Amino acid sequence: MNPPRIQALLNDIRFASEAHFMLVSRLRELIRETVPGATDEVKYGGFLFSVDVPFCGVFAYSAHVSLEFGNGAAMPAPHKVLLGSGKLRRHIKLSSADDIAAQHVALYLPLALDAARRA
């Protein structure tokens, strides 16, 4: 069972877009599977994931879902899917569940945690 704030945000996402809800739900599962001990909280209008430090966030927008990395500029990018040009942040835009595999999301999650721990 999800805490009330998390469930409320999931309900809002589902109301706006069933496809985005399914994508966000799958990303939340994948993050927990890939990064043992990862937990999430509602912050900045999305889900912020932490272990001992915050390392990524999942945000639903009208046209896509974004997986965001606060220390993404310090991450290796072997598949060149990280977007952004700022000093710190990078993100991956996702439009469907197929994008999770196509953009190698599972590979980037431990890299994000490593970058956050080094920051």
Side-chain angles (χ1 to χ4, degrees):
M1 184 67 186
N2 291 313
R5 289 191 72 206
I6 288 177
Q7 191 58 54
L9 181 54
L10 287 169
N11 291 344
D12 289 347
I13 293 168
R14 181 174 240 162
F15 180 76
S17 168
E18 184 68 26
H20 282 46
F21 170 78
M22 297 302 293
L23 183 51
V24 166
S25 296
R26 180 62 194 123
L27 281 170
R28 291 179 70 232
E29 289 172 16
L30 179 64
I31 293 165
R32 283 194 222 96
E33 291 167 3
T34 307
V35 181
T39 60
D40 60 342
E41 64 178 313
V42 173
K43 202 162 194 175
Y44 312 117
F47 300 96
L48 182 67
F49 286 83
S50 302
V51 176
D52 48 315
V53 294
F55 67 96
C56 74
V58 175
F59 299 87
Y61 298 101
S62 60
H64 66 278
V65 171
S66 183
L67 176 61
E68 303 187 7
F69 307 108
N71 296 97
M75 292 167 50
H79 296 285
K80 311 285 190 245
V81 298
L82 296 178
L83 303 173
S85 59
K87 289 172 132 179
L88 297 175
R89 299 180 192 279
R90 296 291 183 271
H91 63 277
I92 299 173
K93 285 185 182 180
L94 304 156
S95 298
S96 72
D98 293 339
D99 288 343
I100 293 172
Q103 297 201 43
H104 310 278
V105 168
L107 171 85
Y108 285 94
L109 297 170
L111 297 175
L113 180 57
D114 289 342
R117 285 178 170 160
R118 289 190 316 267

